[in-house]
Amino acid sequence: MDCLFCKIIKGEIPSKKVYEDEYCYAFEDIAPVAPVHILFVPKEHIASVSELNDSNSAAVSKIYEAIAKVAAEKELGNGYRVISNCGPDAGQTVFHLHFHLIGGKPLGLMCDK
Ligand code: AMP
Ligand code: ZN
């Protein structure tokens, strides 16, 4: 499968690794929008939130545990945002489920009204 994030997980495309465990891999976003911008991806290929079901959703809770750990390590105690864009209206560009951890500055409103 021609998936950018699967290739990053396998090490076929370089990335700046931040965290890894049995379920997930985390690396720095190549185009950060804040001082901390890290992507968390399940090691299993799942296209987006829309593809989650009873057999693959355990990875998501593991990812959130990892996000909490990394956010503490990065000293984001003042707050941060976790985003998963799903589909065209949300601007998803890579179709391997991922969660953006964004922080390190005041983030403003989440989106335009
Ligand atoms: P999304 O638009 O929610 O699908 O997010 C995809 C993210 O992947 C964007 O924030 C990109 O900057 C990021 N990205 C694309 N290619 C790479 C790469 N090779 N290494 C790290 N991040 C990447
Ligand atoms: Zn993939």
Side-chain angles (χ1 to χ4, degrees), residues 60-78:
V60 176
S61 58
K62 291 295 180 187
I63 285 175
Y64 268 85
E65 287 180 41
I67 288 171
K69 202 178 291 183
V70 171
E73 282 168 12
K74 298 286 181 184
E75 301 182 334
L76 298 180
N78 209 42

Side-chain angles (χ1 to χ4, degrees), residues 72-91:
E73 282 168 12
K74 298 286 181 184
E75 301 182 334
L76 298 180
N78 209 42
Y80 54 89
R81 187 168 287 150
V82 181
I83 297 171
S84 188
N85 294 316
C86 182
D89 277 3

Side-chain angles (χ1 to χ4, degrees), residues 1 3 5-6 45 95-96:
M1 196 192 313
C3 171
F5 288 173
C6 281
H45 180 87
F95 289 84
H96 180 128

Side-chain angles (χ1 to χ4, degrees), residues 1-27:
M1 196 192 313
D2 194 29
C3 171
L4 175 64
F5 288 173
C6 281
K7 287 179 181 165
I8 284 178
I9 292 163
K10 284 189 240 164
E12 294 170 7
I13 290 175
S15 66
K16 290 187 180 165
K17 178 168 123 176
V18 176
Y19 175 88
E20 183 174 15
D21 65 26
E22 187 184 342
Y23 303 94
C24 77
Y25 185 77
F27 54 102

Side-chain angles (χ1 to χ4, degrees), residues 43-66:
K43 286 190 169 172
E44 176 186 357
H45 180 87
I46 301 168
S48 73
V49 170
S50 296
E51 301 293 313
L52 288 168
N53 57 53
D54 190 50
S55 71
N56 63 15
S57 63
V60 176
S61 58
K62 291 295 180 187
I63 285 175
Y64 268 85
E65 287 180 41

